Amino acid sequence: MPQSLEACSRFSLPHKPAASADSSTAATALADKKKSEEYSEVMSERMGATLTYRHERGLDFNRILPDLIVGSCLQTPADVDRLAEQEGVTTVFCLQEDCDMEWFNLDIGAIVSRRCFSGRRMDQHLGMPVRDFDPFDLRLKLPKVIARLTKEHDPAAGGTIYIHCTAGMGRAPGAALAYMNWFRKFQLDEGYKLVTGLRRCSPKVEAIRASTVDLLCGVAPVPVTIGVSRRGTAQQVQLAHHPTQTRPHTPSAAALRLRLPPGDGPHAITRCVPWTPPPARPATHTPTRPLSPSPPPLTQIAGLDVGWNQRLDLQVAPHASGSHRFELKRSLLPGRYQYKFITDGVWSASADHPTMRDGDNTNNYVEVMGKDLNPEQASAQMRLLSHGGDLTADERAQIAQMLCPWETHA
């Protein structure tokens, strides 16, 4: 991953200032292309799918239902006119954060102030910002997102809603899919086939399943511990010096290698310590130069409930004398959470933890089941978290009562 992409904690891409007024069109297009390439690289890496977004090519969208369009972000006031006049869009629902807009230097004020939706005010910020590449944030916010969506959009009124994030490949299709599942009677996996068949995207179905269970079962967080062990540590190194002997010539790049004995963690770690000749000593003295034991490598976890943009440090486990066991303790809502270990900056999945494929990625995962559920709730949780599981008519009625007390989806 390019180093520059680590600079923004809320979003994987750092803010870049807008191009100066005297920048040529070609230079601006080249800058947008480079930004698109960086964004696409991070998107593919963190979403586990080979996806490409070309911001410089303008608005990109697909009609999923007669009254529902999923697409990329609006870039100019002309996009507002195009959607209203050519596609019959009456409501625009935005899931971007401010830093998403800053990355592509969007003049959001000019877009929001454009009003040509058949007399209705266009509000670019209708909806709720959701963090990019963060399925857990989507899971938590989906109920409020869909509640606002159903309040503002009435399928029977004849209008069309346009749901977008930045590229329209993660958050926006995820919100559309949840809406289709909860209010338009689409079975989740069938809806996924429809959405991905019409648009190249990768909505996180597991986040929708988990959000559904949250609504219906009212589950509480469950304590979870993820651990990794590293047996052994770097040993001191003996360097004997004899003035009567000459040490062979060592190139400046030569290094004395200290290898950490392999443990049952996700990586084998090798550290290099440059060799420095010891100072001259009397011939009768043969010193030993101890090196302090190398500190355990910094091991972190990304994913879980914080998304791929943040990292959680593992701590030395209590009463783990000599075993170098490190643990992360979290309270997680029921559901399946993907994660990866990061050791000294290197990302990988551990063979000692359950793994799963997520598009092109292999990640570790932990399955968290709810506690204190009655048998009916436990059965519903298992069904709704499983592939092929569907809502019953009563469960859809419960969700409608919680999220949409209005007449728009009666």
Side-chain angles (χ1 to χ4, degrees):
M1 181 187 308
Q3 183 64 30
S4 63
L5 303 189
E6 297 294 338
C8 180
S9 59
R10 293 180 59 214
F11 176 65
S12 58
L13 304 173
H15 168 65
K16 294 187 177 181
S20 60
D22 59 353
S23 297
S24 67
T25 302
T28 302
L30 179 60
D32 283 346
K33 182 178 179 181
K34 290 184 65 177
K35 290 180 180 181
S36 295
E37 290 172 350
E38 288 189 63
Y39 183 90
S40 296
E41 179 184 350
V42 175
M43 177 170 59
S44 295
E45 180 180 276
R46 298 190 178 177
M47 292 178 63
T50 303
L51 299 170
T52 301
Y53 172 53
R54 295 299 184 192
H55 184 81
E56 67 276 11
R57 296 181 182 176
L59 204 59
D60 169 50
F61 57 86
N62 297 92
R63 189 175 290 272
I64 307 302
L65 299 176
D67 62 308
L68 173 64
I69 296 176
V70 172
S72 62
C73 60
L74 282 68
Q75 301 180 26
T76 68
D79 290 335
V80 179
D81 298 338
R82 176 185 174 187
L83 291 175
E85 296 169 4
Q86 299 180 19
E87 303 297 332
V89 171
T90 52
T91 306
V92 171
F93 200 109
C94 174
L95 299 176
Q96 287 181 291
E97 292 187 299
D98 289 343
C99 57
D100 302 342
M101 303 176 196
E102 291 169 2
W103 172 250
F104 286 109
N105 300 317
L106 299 179
D107 185 357
I108 196 64
I111 296 173
V112 170
S113 62
R114 189 77 170 189
R115 304 180 186 185
C116 64
F117 282 5
S118 303
R120 295 183 60 179
R121 181 178 184 275
M122 190 279 266
D123 186 353
Q124 178 70 12
H125 288 282
L126 179 65
M128 176 179 291
V130 179
R131 280 197 299 268
D132 213 350
F133 318 129
D134 191 339
F136 187 76
D137 195 53
L138 179 66
R139 166 190 180 169
L140 294 181
K141 292 177 179 177
L142 269 178
K144 291 185 178 180
V145 167
I146 304 306
R148 184 73 185 278
L149 188 156
T150 55
K151 181 179 181 181
E152 301 294 338
H153 175 61
D154 184 353
T160 296
I161 187 167
Y162 183 90
I163 306 176
H164 77 86
C165 46
T166 297
M169 297 180 180
R171 293 167 287 180
L177 188 54
Y179 167 66
M180 292 163 63
N181 179 235
W182 294 350
F183 285 93
R184 304 296 285 270
K185 299 182 180 180
F186 281 84
Q187 194 275 332
L188 189 58
D189 301 290
E190 293 301 317
Y192 179 87
K193 291 179 182 178
L194 174 64
V195 172
T196 56
L198 293 171
R199 179 169 183 79
R200 185 164 180 77
C201 59
S202 184
K204 295 303 181 184
V205 177
E206 298 299 333
I208 303 170
R209 295 192 206 281
S211 189
T212 305
V213 171
D214 294 344
L215 283 171
L216 295 174
C217 298
V219 291
V222 177
V224 174
T225 299
I226 299 174
V228 61
S229 298
R230 295 188 176 282
R231 294 184 293 272
T233 185
Q235 305 298 321
Q236 72 173 20
V237 177
Q238 306 270 335
L239 293 179
H241 174 71
H242 298 276
T244 58
Q245 300 177 350
T246 302
R247 188 179 183 97
H249 172 70
T250 306
S252 59
L256 179 67
R257 301 182 71 81
L258 302 183
R259 184 175 296 277
L260 292 174
D264 58 355
H267 316 292
I269 303 300
T270 300
R271 291 185 177 277
C272 294
V273 180
W275 178 77
T276 303
R281 298 284 185 175
T284 55
H285 180 66
T286 303
T288 297
R289 181 191 176 204
L291 291 184
S292 300
S294 296
L298 176 62
T299 301
Q300 301 170 304
I301 282 179
L304 293 179
D305 58 328
V306 298
W308 301 111
N309 296 341
Q310 301 183 51
R311 302 180 181 187
L312 302 171
D313 293 339
L314 276 72
Q315 306 296 328
V316 177
H319 315 297
S321 177
S323 68
H324 294 279
R325 178 171 175 80
F326 299 88
E327 293 181 345
L328 173 70
K329 296 182 180 294
R330 299 287 290 179
S331 291
L332 300 175
L333 292 169
R336 174 175 290 187
Y337 296 84
Q338 299 184 49
Y339 62 93
K340 271 190 174 177
F341 289 96
I342 309 172
T343 304
D344 285 350
V346 179
W347 292 56
S348 72
S350 170
D352 301 310
H353 294 245
T355 60
M356 64 176 290
R357 294 288 297 177
D358 183 16
D360 298 331
N361 290 339
T362 298
N363 299 327
N364 292 122
Y365 75 91
V366 58
E367 194 89 48
V368 181
M369 302 304 295
K371 298 174 63 177
D372 302 324
L373 298 178
N374 61 45
E376 183 178 352
Q377 290 177 317
S379 176
Q381 177 180 267
M382 288 292 294
R383 168 171 48 84
L384 295 172
L385 290 178
S386 302
H387 179 81
D390 195 12
L391 292 162
T392 65
D394 286 344
E395 288 167 342
R396 280 198 172 89
Q398 290 181 50
I399 291 176
Q401 185 176 11
M402 287 185 282
L403 301 184
C404 185
W406 308 282
E407 297 296 324
T408 58
H409 288 75

